[in-house]
Amino acid sequence: MRLVDSHAHLQSPQFSDDLPEVLAAAEVAGVERILVPGWDEASSLGALDLVARYPRLVAAVGIHPHAAAETDDAAWERTAALAADPAVVGIGETGLDYDRRFSPIEDQLRNLRRNLALAVATGKPAILHCRSAAGQRDAQDALLDAMRVAGFGGSAARATFGDRPPAILHSVSGPVDYVAAALERGGAVSISGLCFRKGEEATAESVRLVSADRLLVETDAPYLSPPGAPRRRNEPAWVRITAAWVAERRGEHPDALGPQIVENFDRIFVSSPA
């Protein structure tokens, strides 16, 4: 099966000893494209360093909600400046996390707004993390509102992105109507091993809702190992388990799904303007 990993934190310390072997295993598994997103200034620089060493990789730069409070204006400006690099094809990982709340909500919202503005300004799609506490949806609703205010789904985003998705719901989590609303704003959806966890049953319905041209799969490595993968560390080769789950839920043959997700990756990310 042809595969992509649209979200793998390969600059994490968990890969410092054996990254060449990890990439070789991914290639054997059929993974043709890997996006390495940053979560703060240092990890964004780390993503760019990996892209320079391994041309099969592409990078995204941005500030995660967990790092929102600790990122001052100067650090944000330095991170935002990295978006001009041609190796950068996305803005993020950013978003909202009202579950763990490592940063105060107001800091998260401010951070999200400037990451969304950078995506619109550069034509490089926003990669959006979104988590609410169990049984809640406040983060999802706040994210949809921020997307609306930033012009996603409107003329501002269309002028920059055309028919490309201006945002990706990374490791999607939340109710089906939230996913539907994000799709209405032009977004794409990426499925991770989170889909196998208790409490994430809505993803099975959401994955059938997404049009074929706006669907991606990912590992979120080194996190979210799917069943059958080692629990100690997820890695890009294991995206095949999630992709098989996606194909089954959509009633598609994996060999038909694979070329579509590779095409989607290239259209959403690789074709982003430099």
Side-chain angles (χ1 to χ4, degrees):
M1 181 181 183
R2 298 181 66 192
L3 294 166
V4 302
D5 187 348
S6 69
H7 199 107
H9 298 291
L10 298 179
Q11 73 278 58
S12 297
Q14 290 92 327
F15 296 105
S16 60
D17 293 334
D18 64 346
L19 183 57
E21 291 79 9
V22 167
L23 293 176
E27 186 172 5
V28 170
V31 180
E32 301 178 16
R33 316 276 193 270
I34 303 175
L35 175 71
V36 182
W39 60 86
D40 58 11
E41 181 184 2
S43 60
S44 294
L45 287 165
L48 282 167
D49 177 66
L50 288 187
V51 170
R53 292 160 52 199
Y54 302 101
R56 292 176 54 232
L57 309 179
V58 290
V61 300
I63 306 297
H64 191 283
H66 290 344
E70 66 190 40
T71 302
D72 60 21
D73 289 344
W76 163 251
E77 293 298 333
R78 291 191 299 269
T79 305
L82 299 175
D85 193 307
V88 172
V89 299
I91 305 302
E93 175 182 357
T94 188
L96 298 171
D97 196 314
Y98 289 6
D99 182 13
R100 287 171 285 181
R101 299 197 187 193
F102 292 166
S103 291
I105 285 176
E106 190 50 49
D107 289 327
Q108 293 189 42
L109 288 167
R110 178 171 178 263
N111 177 66
L112 172 61
R113 293 181 194 118
R114 58 191 184 183
N115 278 268
L116 292 178
L118 182 61
V120 173
T122 59
K124 299 181 180 186
I127 299 165
L128 301 174
H129 168 109
C130 194
R131 299 287 183 273
S132 295
Q136 304 297 313
R137 57 174 296 157
D138 47 353
Q140 282 84 1
D141 290 337
L143 181 67
L144 289 172
D145 187 60
M147 291 175 69
R148 177 188 60 79
V149 171
F152 287 65
S155 58
R158 282 195 297 272
T160 301
F161 290 93
D163 63 356
R164 291 188 305 116
I168 297 89
L169 298 185
H170 138 66
S171 190
V172 69
S173 174
V176 176
D177 65 304
Y178 152 69
V179 175
L183 291 170
E184 289 175 3
R185 286 166 172 75
V189 171
S190 185
I191 310 298
S192 75
L194 188 66
C195 69
F196 295 99
R197 293 192 177 182
K198 183 178 180 181
E200 299 293 340
E201 292 79 10
T203 304
E205 184 176 349
S206 293
V207 79
R208 291 188 288 269
L209 179 70
V210 182
S211 62
D213 64 341
R214 286 198 264 167
L215 181 65
L216 293 166
V217 291
E218 63 172 272
T219 57
D220 199 19
Y223 314 110
L224 301 181
S225 294
R231 305 303 298 175
R232 63 178 179 83
R233 184 190 70 180
N234 199 6
E235 60 183 69
W238 298 107
V239 75
R240 66 181 184 270
I241 297 174
T242 301
W245 180 92
V246 169
E248 182 179 2
R249 296 306 179 279
R250 289 173 64 86
E252 301 177 20
H253 194 281
D255 289 343
L257 175 66
Q260 180 68 63
I261 61 173
V262 174
E263 179 183 332
N264 294 347
F265 188 100
D266 288 350
R267 177 172 52 86
I268 294 168
F269 292 121
V270 178
S271 298
S272 297

